[in-house]
Amino acid sequence: MEIFRVGKLKKDFFWGNSTSSMQTEGAWNEGGKGLSIYDIKPSTENSSDWKIAIDEYHRYPEDIKIMKDLGMNFYRFQISWSRVQPDGEGEFNQEGIDFYRRFISELLDAGIEPMICLYHFDMPLALAKKYNGFLNRRVVDLFIEYAKKMINIFGDQVRYWLTFNEQNCFSLSSAFASSGYLNGGKTVRELYQIQHNIILAHCRIANYVHDLKPDLLIGGMEAFQEVYPASALPADVEVVRKYKEFVDYNLLRIFTEGKYSSEVVCFMEKNHIEDILKVSDLAEISRNRSDFISFSYYTTTTLTSSEIPIASVPNYYGEAGYKKNPYLLSNEWNWQIDPQGFYGILMDLFNRTHLPIFPIENGIGVRENWDGKHQINDDYRIYYHRVHIQALEKAVSDGVDVIGYLGWGLIDIPSSRGDVDKRYGVVYVNRTNHELLDLKRVPKKSYYWLQKVIKSNGTEL
């Protein structure tokens, strides 16, 4: 089923995969690694713990061979801060650094361009306990130290860099869990302090790269899950506009223009939290620019104003006002399938920024079981990726400069909540939430489809 007209992709288009360290590596207490906030999370009825994941720490040569066979030429992964600096401050762990050096070298030997993300929500536990994570300005300084160290060590091998995964998520209530926040009242001031501290950390590192490492490329990343008004009611249209300004476009403006949204600043003044914006911070932020804009995309939803309490903080509109879109299909977790939304975001981001756009997470989570013998027939995954690649090609044909297309967890990994049953991969990993089994890697039907897509650079869908 073709929804979009095909546009020709550039010859050096990137095809690949994105993951995080806690969802892949395992080896939580090996190689000198310190504890992160994920390492102490217990398993539940519907989730695993994080101690093994898919054991990529030991099995990465096998997984890189799979990536190469698939045809991938790009892999975005995360350095675990607590693996290279166990307490998040003090001595660095040479054994952890050596692991990533070997890992990157094997990727390059396989013809796979690496991208490093420096922080994907897994704060070193020691920093969470001692400083309450990114709420404390001391952690900004420590992150800068860690990030510069990694750039100085790996910058000779790795050209593409990200600071924070889905940075706009630090504008939402999820900021408290993902920033290492352990104690407090989760106030609006604290939310905006965390948001600002992470903005400052990003800008300092981006400025460092541009000042001292001009051959490297660094960009901002957001989670763009398109939001539509639930109706033509003007109030519904307005809550969507305001929500996007506070959660998406404020950060996008910082990534590209080096300044906060005037509307966001006015909100902070009205709520007497404008003192968070130090003059020296704003001067440093003003120098920030991005070499590209990257984003994750999975689903869309709608907002209805009728469910949002009066005087709600705009950052929280989504929690009260989300409403299912009746015109779209959904997976078991109510993530709605909307390639048109993907096309719209590609167009919107490029029209706003005039920078190369890089969708670096896309996929669909489905409950799957392998019988130990037969291939998993995942036509639903083929359909999902096909229509989204078609949407991307349509955006290219309409003028967008797209760098590449990365799936999420193309080799099965636990979901962001640790649910192994929510599988995104074109390769099955033989484990469940509570049984490791043999961790065998088993290509699904979608693997061979994607292999042909990559080999044809998107012309055979």
Side-chain angles (χ1 to χ4, degrees), residues 305-335:
S305 59
S306 62
E307 299 295 327
I308 299 173
I310 294 174
S312 288
V313 177
N315 307 65
Y316 295 157
Y317 282 179
E319 296 182 17
Y322 276 154
K323 185 177 181 181
K324 188 174 181 178
N325 190 329
Y327 301 104
L328 298 175
L329 296 173
S330 304
N331 73 353
E332 184 176 340
W333 289 269
N334 289 319
W335 288 30

Side-chain angles (χ1 to χ4, degrees), residues 108 150 244 273 294:
L108 292 170
M150 295 302 101
K244 286 184 174 181
I273 57 175
S294 58

Side-chain angles (χ1 to χ4, degrees), residues 256-276:
T256 57
E257 300 176 35
K259 61 183 180 183
Y260 267 83
S261 158
S262 297
E263 187 175 4
V264 171
V265 173
C266 285
F267 171 86
M268 295 177 73
E269 290 172 347
K270 290 175 183 177
N271 287 272
H272 311 294
I273 57 175
E274 75 278 7
D275 57 299
I276 289 172

